Amino acid sequence: MLSVAVRTLRARWAAFVGSFVALTLGVGLVTVMGQALAASRDAPVRTPERFAAAPVVVRGHDTLRVATPTGVRTAQLAVPRAVPAATVAALRALGTVVQDRSFPVRADGGPATLVGHPWSTAQFAPYDLTTGRAPRTADEVVTTGHWASVGDRLETGDGPVRVVGTVRARGGTVRARGGTGHARGGTGHARGGTGHADEVVVRARGGTEQSARSDAGTRPRDIENAVFYTDVRAARLEPRSAQLVVTADAAAVRAAVGDSARVLTGDDRRFADADPYRDAESLTALNALFGTAGGVTAFVSVFVVASTFAFAVDRRRRQFGLLRTAGATPGQIRRSVLAEALLVGTLASATGCVLGAYGAPWLAALVVDGGLAPAWYTIGGHGWPYHLAFWTGLSVSVCGALTASLRAGRIAPAQALREVSVDGRPLTGGRRWFGAALLLTACATLSYALLTDPGDLLHRKTYISRPLLVTTAVALLSPALVRPLVPRLPGVIGLLVRENAVAGVRRTAAVAAPVLVTVALAGSLLGATATLTEARAAEVRQRTMADFVVTPGSGTALPTDAVARLRRVPGALVSATAATAVYTLEDGVALVKSEARAVDPGPLGTTVRLPVAAGRLADLDDGSIVVTEEWARHRVGQRVRVWLGDGTSRSLRIAAVLATGTGESGVWLSTHNAGGAPVDRVDVRARAGADPETVAAKLRAVDGVRVLSRAQWVASAYPGTNRTTRLGVLLVLGVALVYTGIALVNTLVMAAAERRRERAVLRLAGVTGGQILRLTVAEALTVVGVGAVLGLLVTLVNLAGMWGALRLVSAPATLVVPWPALGAVTAACAVLAVGSAVVPVAVSAARRTLSGG
């Protein structure tokens, strides 16, 4: 059989080109995604950056540790504790103490990532002046890099400043020796679970911790874009200081500090840098991104490759009928087809692995340039993705040919010859039952999710993976849907289009399958993100009742004196709030972090409209809390044990319960339970009889604040799609569009080659070349239309599930269908289909003309 398969491939190589190309590309994509996933598992250890020259760094405790029956759970505190005053006094007796502060800076024409610091900390990087001098007054600054020069005047959120000096940008390094960090990524809320002893779950935007280590080499990077102020000005812009540098003996510092704070020396000084876990966090996000994209890529590859192989084998029924007439047994036919698939699969899988090796660095450059990965991120050096991709491709090729070969081996010779032009049953028994089972499974799982945990349908992994099940089910059942979907077009050409499509339902379904996959994925993914974004935006609009929202001009907090001046503005009803977090232990084992806002309970109901499901906001006080329905304990009057943003343990009574919504409701506390978090936002309403414009003018007269109208605040707070989510969706759609486009071309070229005899018969019947071209174009557009309608059907089913989930969690539900994207994808498929169908016909006609036929 192997020798027969080799001769068949040599003689009929054109029939196998489409299968070879589809499988090669699929294996290449799986290889690239596997390499990317392998490279995103570990992060290297960083060396100290801002404090590389600091002798000893003392940092307030920033980790919450909670003992559970299954081990100790840890979480990064939202508000790191300050070093106690008594400890600071003891350290001053040992040597020089310099307090560190960090805060964002907005400057016209400056980088978007500007960070402010007191000038006294520049010596610990160390930063050396390249031009100018150190800042001496409140309106003087020193900048890093080359984006500003001495003498420049910069407009910042806290007023104008003048650049009096510049320092050369410094680079940090990552290195590959031992040590671990912790990655804190996002997996949505969770209830229960065991996990590892140091696991923490973050509700709505949080995630689980995991160890991160790498064997990557050492690579440089810029530390930051910094702006250095005088120490006094920096203290005003950022009142909190969670760490300091001590110029003294480390042993003496440890003795003076005791258990009141952390003492960092050597490589541990990296934990005093801004976001020391950022590389591990980036890789955790990349791991989720490539895991999802890899799953979708594998699905699209397997789907298209299996469909292409099955179509290629199914189109050879005439050959199989002749072999059966010549005496070949069903077993011999099956073995011959499987041997052919094995040869093509082996060659294509090996070629795909080579293609993937060249494509992996390109993907690494793409995610680094897009800001999704650190600059040191590289792909390559792992062996298991090649094994996975090779054997997956080989298995898919054999399995894709197996079903068709079994069917071809079962039919009698006379039946094979009689069925060569017209397909018999549109669906085989296995395809019908498997498709129906998948469709029922999709409906059952969707119903179960809506009844038990509708919020799970709003998570990225769910709304990216769920469409695959429905898409597969509809694709399997598509041959039975061709007849009702093919339109009755006018004229002879319209009649031929319909009859050809209905007579060859398997061919029509095979060509429509890539269009179905592309349209379904584009509509489901883009529609899901747009629907969720619109729901969140509607929540922002509904919940904002303030006439004005005041935020810091620079830094992360409003100065205390500024808040006091805002409260004294005549005619203004002021509600000051602070961003913080609370931690709860659910089911005794899962440490859950929930984002929270601390507020003065009195004016809360006048500036914010919250979706209260039970209880009253007026009952919020220093001994109570407002939670959401997703909490394990959410009955009004119940007491819950929580840890505040600074780790303080409290037992609070539930005063009110909010509807879950899109997960942005959060928790509300009194300012007494803010955990030391500073005020970062003030909502203001003009009192009855007060002139809003006058109130706004007096608010803007307060130094160091930024005043936004309600409309401006809603626009600025409009929840856009997360960058990782957006790029991840585009990555998935890009893979699907490119791959299914090539599959569409392959399938149409194979179908066109098969129908040469049919076109010759039409020419003998008097049909002109132009009419054949028009017929070919009409058939291609009809098949694309069938695939687009089926893809739209899948899109509507998936979006209807998300719409139902939003309604059940009491969120604004507006179903958003991405019509422009669907139109663009369908148009692209139509162009590919028409070109792939017309070119072979035109080439065939040109050859006949040249030969005089």
Side-chain angles (χ1 to χ4, degrees):
M1 284 298 104
L2 186 60
S3 61
V4 173
V6 172
R7 292 190 184 96
T8 303
L9 291 176
R10 186 181 303 165
R12 300 174 58 90
W13 61 270
F16 296 95
V17 169
S19 301
F20 180 86
V21 172
L23 185 58
T24 298
L25 182 61
V27 172
L29 289 173
V30 172
T31 301
V32 170
M33 289 300 169
Q35 287 286 356
L37 191 61
S40 66
R41 294 178 58 187
D42 301 314
V45 177
R46 285 198 170 276
T47 59
E49 295 176 346
R50 289 189 55 229
F51 299 98
V56 182
V57 179
V58 179
R59 180 174 174 83
H61 288 298
D62 58 0
T63 303
L64 172 65
R65 300 181 182 276
V66 178
T68 72
T70 57
V72 176
R73 295 289 188 267
T74 63
Q76 192 76 10
L77 290 175
V79 186
R81 297 173 182 171
V83 180
T87 302
V88 175
L91 293 174
R92 292 189 186 280
L94 298 177
T96 303
V97 173
V98 177
Q99 289 186 305
D100 177 49
R101 307 173 196 275
S102 298
F103 48 91
V105 176
R106 290 190 294 267
D108 293 345
T113 56
L114 282 178
V115 180
H117 300 297
W119 171 248
S120 59
T121 62
Q123 60 183 308
F124 301 120
Y127 283 109
D128 298 319
L129 282 168
T130 54
T131 60
R133 57 174 176 80
R136 298 170 186 166
T137 61
D139 64 343
E140 295 180 344
V141 297
V142 170
T143 61
T144 61
H146 303 285
W147 64 273
S149 303
V150 173
D152 289 350
R153 296 197 66 83
L154 307 176
E155 289 294 332
T156 70
D158 195 57
V161 295
R162 184 165 56 92
V163 179
V164 297
T166 62
V167 295
R168 183 178 295 107
R170 292 186 55 84
T173 60
V174 291
R175 65 176 177 231
R177 65 181 184 79
T180 59
H182 293 285
R184 295 171 174 83
T187 60
H189 74 277
R191 295 198 177 101
T194 53
H196 299 289
D198 62 347
E199 180 180 314
V200 61
V201 177
V202 184
R203 198 187 306 276
R205 301 190 190 93
T208 56
E209 294 189 67
Q210 66 181 33
S211 173
R213 187 167 51 88
S214 176
D215 56 358
T218 301
R219 296 175 178 85
R221 61 174 293 276
D222 289 340
I223 291 179
E224 59 186 348
N225 293 308
V227 178
F228 292 97
Y229 292 81
T230 62
D231 289 18
V232 174
R233 182 69 180 275
R236 182 179 181 276
L237 295 176
E238 182 57 59
R240 286 185 52 82
S241 173
Q243 60 193 21
L244 49 86
V245 177
V246 185
T247 306
D249 179 68
V253 171
R254 293 184 189 278
V257 169
D259 295 331
S260 63
R262 297 174 62 190
V263 178
L264 307 176
T265 58
D267 281 350
D268 286 346
R269 291 171 298 176
R270 70 182 185 275
F271 293 113
D273 290 326
D275 196 6
Y277 310 110
R278 60 186 176 276
D279 291 335
E281 290 172 355
S282 297
L283 291 190
T284 300
L286 277 177
N287 191 274
L289 168 63
F290 288 134
T292 304
V296 174
T297 300
F299 161 77
V300 174
S301 302
V302 171
F303 181 89
V304 174
V305 168
S307 176
T308 304
F309 264 88
F311 176 73
V313 174
D314 188 68
R315 294 300 93 187
R316 296 171 58 198
R317 283 175 296 160
R318 180 186 292 273
Q319 176 189 356
F320 297 147
L322 292 173
L323 290 174
R324 293 283 285 120
T325 303
T329 66
Q332 288 175 322
I333 290 179
R334 287 194 292 268
R335 288 193 294 273
S336 175
V337 171
L338 292 178
E340 294 167 3
L342 184 63
L343 287 173
V344 173
T346 300
L347 294 174
S349 297
T351 306
C353 288
V354 175
L355 183 65
Y358 283 98
W362 177 83
L363 180 61
L366 180 67
V367 295
V368 170
D369 293 341
L372 291 180
W376 49 261
Y377 178 74
T378 56
I379 295 178
H382 298 84
W384 66 263
Y386 294 104
H387 290 281
L388 175 66
F390 180 86
W391 294 110
T392 298
L394 190 59
S395 302
V396 169
S397 66
V398 174
C399 293
L402 179 62
T403 303
S405 67
L406 290 174
R407 186 173 184 276
R410 284 198 301 266
I411 58 180
Q415 290 176 321
L417 292 175
R418 188 165 57 246
E419 293 182 358
V420 292
S421 297
V422 179
D423 290 335
R425 292 182 305 164
L427 282 178
T428 61
R431 186 164 182 166
R432 179 188 299 109
W433 289 110
F434 192 49
L438 282 179
L439 188 60
L440 289 175
T441 301
C443 294
T445 54
L446 176 61
S447 301
Y448 180 78
L450 290 173
L451 292 173
T452 58
D453 187 12
D456 181 64
L457 296 175
L458 307 181
H459 295 161
R460 183 179 64 193
K461 288 184 179 180
T462 302
Y463 65 67
I464 287 181
S465 60
R466 182 168 291 278
L468 306 184
L469 193 62
V470 184
T471 301
T472 305
V474 173
L476 288 173
L477 299 174
S478 61
L481 303 174
V482 168
R483 184 182 295 272
L485 288 178
V486 174
R488 295 182 181 274
L489 301 174
V492 176
I493 290 181
L495 177 62
L496 288 175
V497 168
R498 176 173 172 78
E499 293 305 318
N500 285 336
V502 172
V505 289
R506 296 194 190 102
R507 179 183 65 237
T508 304
V511 176
V515 182
L516 162 63
V517 172
T518 306
V519 173
L521 286 179
S524 298
L525 301 187
L526 295 178
T529 55
T531 297
L532 191 56
T533 298
E534 179 58 32
R536 288 172 174 163
E539 283 184 338
V540 172
R541 290 192 297 267
Q542 291 177 4
R543 296 179 186 183
T544 303
M545 297 174 59
D547 296 319
F548 307 100
V549 177
V550 182
T551 59
S554 288
T556 58
L558 287 163
T560 305
D561 60 337
V563 175
R565 290 186 59 190
L566 291 171
R567 294 184 189 278
R568 293 195 297 267
V569 171
L573 181 62
V574 173
S575 175
T577 64
T580 183
V582 296
Y583 306 82
T584 56
L585 195 63
E586 292 189 357
D587 297 332
V589 292
L591 186 60
V592 180
K593 175 184 176 182
S594 297
E595 294 184 358
R597 291 206 72 84
V599 63
D600 293 331
L604 174 61
T606 62
T607 57
V608 178
R609 184 186 295 109
L610 297 177
V612 178
R616 299 190 313 156
L617 293 179
D619 293 337
L620 178 64
D621 55 27
D622 291 345
S624 62
I625 185 174
V626 175
V627 302
T628 64
E629 290 176 324
E630 66 179 341
W631 276 47
R633 297 168 65 88
H634 59 268
R635 192 175 71 244
V636 174
Q638 282 185 315
R639 300 197 72 85
V640 292
R641 185 189 181 191
V642 301
W643 288 265
L644 304 181
D646 62 354
T648 303
S649 177
R650 295 290 305 275
S651 175
L652 301 175
R653 172 182 53 83
I654 297 178
V657 179
L658 306 180
T660 302
T662 61
E664 304 297 316
S665 297
V667 173
W668 293 80
L669 303 155
S670 73
T671 52
H672 177 74
N673 297 316
V679 172
D680 64 350
R681 175 177 138 193
V682 174
D683 294 346
V684 181
R685 285 196 70 180
R687 296 182 183 274
D691 178 29
E693 294 300 327
T694 302
V695 172
K698 294 182 183 252
L699 294 175
R700 293 188 177 95
V702 178
D703 293 334
V705 302
R706 182 171 175 234
V707 181
L708 302 176
S709 66
R710 180 180 183 275
Q712 290 172 330
W713 168 254
V714 170
S716 66
Y718 192 99
T721 303
N722 176 272
R723 177 183 176 85
T724 303
T725 300
R726 182 173 62 255
L727 293 180
V729 168
L730 292 178
L731 176 64
V732 170
L733 289 181
V735 169
L737 183 59
V738 172
Y739 192 49
T740 54
I742 293 177
L744 181 64
V745 172
N746 286 337
T747 308
L748 280 167
V749 169
M750 288 191 294
E754 176 201 354
R755 300 180 65 190
R756 284 195 299 265
R757 181 184 297 272
E758 179 183 331
R759 293 195 298 271
V761 171
L762 290 174
R763 291 298 302 271
L764 292 174
V767 178
T768 65
Q771 289 175 321
I772 290 179
L773 284 177
R774 289 196 294 273
L775 174 62
T776 303
V777 171
E779 286 182 340
L781 293 177
T782 298
V783 175
V784 170
V786 170
V789 170
L790 292 175
L792 179 61
L793 177 64
V794 173
T795 296
L796 294 177
V797 170
N798 288 309
L799 294 185
M802 174 166 280
W803 178 84
L806 289 170
R807 293 290 297 246
L808 290 174
V809 297
S810 302
T814 302
L815 193 148
V816 181
V817 180
W819 295 113
L822 291 179
V825 168
T826 303
C829 290
V831 170
L832 288 174
V834 170
S836 304
V838 168
V839 169
V841 175
V843 171
S844 178
R847 287 176 178 174
R848 283 197 305 271
T849 301
L850 292 174
S851 62

